[in-house]
Each structure stands twice: as structure tokens, then as C-alpha cells.
Amino acid sequence: MFFFFNGNPYIAIIGDIRKSKKIENRNEIQKKLKQVLEEINHKYDKEIASNFIITLGDEFQGLLYSGINTMNIINEIERKMYPVKIRFGIGAGAITTDVNKEMSIGADGPGYYKARAAIDFLKDNEKKKQTNTADVRFEAEGDNHTITVMINTILSLLTAIKDSWSDRQREIIWDMLHHQDSQVDVAKRFSIKQPAVQKSLSKGKYYVYKDSMDIIGQALSEVRSNDV
């Protein structure tokens, strides 16, 4: 897989809380989101060109030097904010303004245009009640149509898998993704038997899900800024 860009590509991420106006404790959710983003900024500091910050009451954004940990960051935000549901727009492209590490507001360029286009696409699909609605979408600057279609097809399948999880399957799968260790270790943390972990992983299509995440991660890792 190869991306084709003119200039110096970054990865821009825009996140948006779904159905935020219907959330009763919006103030508490915003406080939690702020804390989660601060944790992301600390953990992935070396890969972040502009820190993730809340830009509106229910929206946030950040800028990455490369795409290598894009899906890990999105997965971590999803996991820590659950049951609040978030849609993510990922944009790959140049940034034409100065990049401020502490403040992503004010940055502009094709990278952010593409992330915004991805978010708008997801919102429109939800309004139309499309059957293949995803919660993450990718758009790229340049002649990258084939790769973009492939990535978005996989992202739609990932959403379908996530939507099929029971609460228990989600807990076990997210624990497995977070700790990256054995089924025996997961079983110990949940005080259950290893076969119960295996059953949840199998029914939740964990290995297909993880392999698909890894494929997207490998594709996005090719997007790298020269400014690192």
C-alpha cells in the first residue's frame, strides 16, 4: 500500500460526541473527555504535532506527525469514554499554517479539510439512516482513492463487529487490546476461567477485529510528516 501526497502530510483527527444534546450530564462528560485527552497527549507526546483539545462543547481535535498510532489513539478514547459514543474523522494531508504544539485550534490545511469532510460524511449518513454507518472514516489528500475506499470498507466492518458485542464481550475484548497479553492473564483479571475468555473472544470476532485494526494501522503508518 502506498499513499501519494504533494508536500508534507500529517494526520488530523476530529472527534465528535454523538447525540451530545441528549446527554443529561454533559458537564461531567466534558470534564471526563478533557481528562482522557490529556492522558492521550501525555502517552503519545512524541507523535503529537498539536495536542488534542476540546474545540467545542462536543467536539475535539488533534494533529499527529504520523499515522502509526492513529487507531490505538481512537480505540483508547472510545474505551475510556464508553458508553458515550464518538464519531471520528481522520484526515491525511498537508498543514499550510504554523503548527502549535499546545494548541491545535488555528491550524489549517488539507489534512484538517479531509478530517472535517470525513466527520460531515458520517453525520450525513446517520441522518439518512444508512445501513452501513460507521463511526470512523478516513479521507486523504491526493490520488489515494483506492486505498481510501479499502480503509473505509474495513472501518465499516469494524463498526459492525463492535455493534454486535455484548457488554461482557466488549469488556474482555477491550481488556485484551489494552494489555496485549494472554487469555490466562485476562481470565485472572476478570476472575473467570480461560475457556470463558476464549468463548467471548470467539463470539466477538476478536481476532478478525484485531487483524483489521493492524492492517489499517500499517496503512496509516505510511503517512509521515517531515517535521518530526
Side-chain angles (χ1 to χ4, degrees):
M1 299 179 205
F2 295 98
F3 285 100
F4 300 94
F5 296 98
N6 293 320
N8 187 17
Y10 289 78
I11 288 284
I13 299 176
I14 298 177
D16 180 62
I17 295 176
R18 296 172 61 181
K19 299 179 180 178
S20 60
K21 293 181 180 178
K22 295 183 179 181
I23 298 175
E24 294 182 0
N25 57 334
R26 289 183 68 184
N27 188 48
E28 291 302 315
I29 294 301
Q30 288 174 10
K31 288 181 180 179
K32 183 176 180 182
L33 177 59
K34 184 175 184 292
Q35 178 183 340
V36 169
L37 296 180
E38 287 174 352
E39 292 169 359
I40 292 292
N41 290 333
H42 177 73
K43 181 174 180 179
Y44 298 95
D45 176 67
K46 293 183 179 179
E47 297 165 38
I48 292 176
S50 287
N51 284 337
F52 284 84
I53 60 169
I54 297 173
T55 54
L56 298 170
D58 55 2
E59 191 172 283
F60 58 92
Q61 67 183 41
L63 189 67
L64 307 178
Y65 285 117
S66 77
I68 189 168
N69 269 311
T70 301
M71 295 308 296
N72 290 332
I73 289 171
I74 287 174
N75 183 68
E76 191 165 333
I77 295 173
E78 279 186 322
R79 176 172 57 84
K80 290 182 175 180
M81 290 302 298
Y82 188 82
V84 173
K85 293 187 176 181
I86 301 174
R87 60 175 78 87
F88 294 87
I90 306 169
I95 299 298
T96 55
T97 58
D98 291 338
V99 174
N100 184 336
K101 171 70 172 181
E102 301 303 323
M103 185 70 65
S104 58
I105 294 177
D108 200 11
Y112 273 116
Y113 304 156
K114 292 298 182 179
R116 176 59 62 189
I119 281 285
D120 289 343
F121 181 94
L122 294 178
K123 289 181 178 180
D124 289 343
N125 254 19
E126 288 175 24
K127 289 177 182 177
K128 296 174 184 176
K129 297 184 178 179
Q130 296 289 330
T131 56
N132 63 339
T133 297
D135 51 19
V136 185
R137 184 170 177 83
F138 172 77
E139 297 286 351
E141 178 190 15
D143 185 16
N144 294 295
H145 178 72
T146 301
I147 298 177
T148 298
V149 170
M150 182 202 72
I151 289 175
N152 284 323
T153 299
I154 297 174
L155 288 171
S156 293
L157 293 173
L158 288 175
T159 298
I161 291 174
K162 284 188 293 185
D163 287 347
S164 73
W165 290 343
S166 67
D167 289 340
R168 191 57 159 175
Q169 288 167 359
R170 180 177 293 103
E171 289 175 345
I172 289 174
I173 289 170
W174 275 349
D175 185 86
M176 190 83 168
L177 289 170
H178 176 59
H179 290 283
Q180 296 289 312
D181 52 14
S182 70
Q183 294 182 25
V184 172
D185 291 322
V186 176
K188 289 178 180 178
R189 284 192 291 273
F190 282 87
S191 299
I192 57 178
K193 301 292 186 181
Q194 179 272 331
V197 173
Q198 172 60 34
K199 184 177 179 180
S200 286
L201 295 177
S202 178
K203 286 193 171 183
K205 299 177 177 61
Y206 165 77
Y207 292 102
V208 173
Y209 184 85
K210 186 178 185 305
D211 286 347
S212 299
M213 289 269 289
D214 290 344
I215 288 171
I216 295 176
Q218 289 172 15
L220 295 183
S221 69
E222 295 183 5
V223 182
R224 298 185 187 91
S225 166
N226 299 321
D227 296 332
V228 180

